[in-house]
Amino acid sequence: MKKVLCAMMLFAAAILCLHQNVSAAEGATVTVNGDTLQAGSDAWKVTLDISGDTKITNGKIRVTYDSSQLKLVSTEAGSMMNGVLTDINDPVSGNKYEGEAVFVFASSTELDTNGTLFEMTFQVQDSVKDGDSVTVSAKTEELQNNYAAVAVTDVPLNAAVGSQSNNNGNNNGGNDSSTDPQIGRAHV
């Protein structure tokens, strides 16, 4: 009986040790930032920035906006994506409808989580006037490092037309939704 009890305790200890190696990584924040938004602008610059104290290797981020207010003119990888495999599916060069863009990246080496992931340029629709509110949101669907999923807080940009738009690290009315870290490797 003692042998059976001892074997069960060793089995339980081994399971606990394995569980600790498959835990979620530290967190990151993905923030949408933008230049001052002016009515009638044909080149409003918006960036998708990341910050945190962890490393990342791959991810998938969906950006949404109101197509009655904004028209996407261009998208490109940000400064942090130099030498990284990126794919952008948007209404300009992909098969997405106006109002949505999906950014995917994968790196063979770990990247710091401080910098610009992607850049977007929008044309402001004629219906948008001074004082109107415009929102560009990001939803991180996947973010990983070499070992585990990274927990993410997404911060949207809520810009008032005619006012400074940059989040500058404050929530600016953003949500506090986080992606749930998933156990396992990313499939990009």
Side-chain angles (χ1 to χ4, degrees):
M1 181 68 178
K2 284 185 178 182
K3 287 183 182 180
V4 171
L5 184 59
C6 184
M8 288 175 54
M9 289 174 55
L10 284 173
F11 178 75
I15 294 296
L16 288 174
C17 287
L18 288 174
H19 175 71
Q20 289 178 354
N21 290 334
V22 188
S23 61
E26 297 171 5
T29 300
V30 172
T31 305
V32 183
N33 287 306
D35 293 340
T36 299
L37 177 58
Q38 299 295 332
S41 173
D42 60 356
W44 183 44
K45 304 284 186 194
V46 174
T47 59
L48 197 56
D49 300 318
I50 190 165
S51 60
D53 292 329
T54 189
K55 303 278 189 183
I56 57 173
T57 55
N58 56 66
K60 178 181 179 183
I61 303 167
R62 186 175 307 272
V63 173
T64 56
Y65 55 93
D66 185 341
S67 61
S68 70
Q69 295 179 314
L70 300 172
K71 179 180 180 181
L72 189 62
V73 175
S74 68
T75 54
E76 62 184 60
S79 57
M80 156 172 199
M81 295 289 103
N82 290 336
V84 175
L85 177 65
T86 61
D87 189 30
I88 301 172
N89 189 0
D90 63 23
V92 177
S93 60
N95 65 1
K96 293 294 176 191
Y97 291 106
E98 195 68 51
E100 177 182 40
V102 177
F103 302 96
V104 180
F105 68 93
S107 175
S108 60
T109 60
E110 289 186 315
L111 307 167
D112 288 326
T113 51
N114 290 297
T116 299
L117 295 167
F118 295 96
E119 299 174 1
M120 299 161 278
T121 302
F122 291 96
Q123 177 183 356
V124 179
Q125 303 287 22
D126 292 337
S127 61
V128 176
K129 306 296 180 209
D130 281 345
D132 287 353
S133 180
V134 174
T135 301
V136 179
S137 298
K139 173 66 176 148
T140 303
E141 296 178 2
E142 185 175 296
L143 191 64
Q144 299 223 300
N145 62 24
N146 277 335
Y147 308 104
V150 175
V152 178
T153 300
D154 294 312
V155 180
L157 174 61
N158 296 315
V161 179
S163 300
Q164 176 64 30
S165 300
N166 196 320
N167 271 325
N168 286 329
N170 86 46
N171 195 320
N172 208 14
N175 64 25
D176 194 21
S177 66
S178 299
T179 58
D180 293 325
Q182 299 174 358
I183 305 304
R185 303 285 301 166
H187 299 283
V188 178

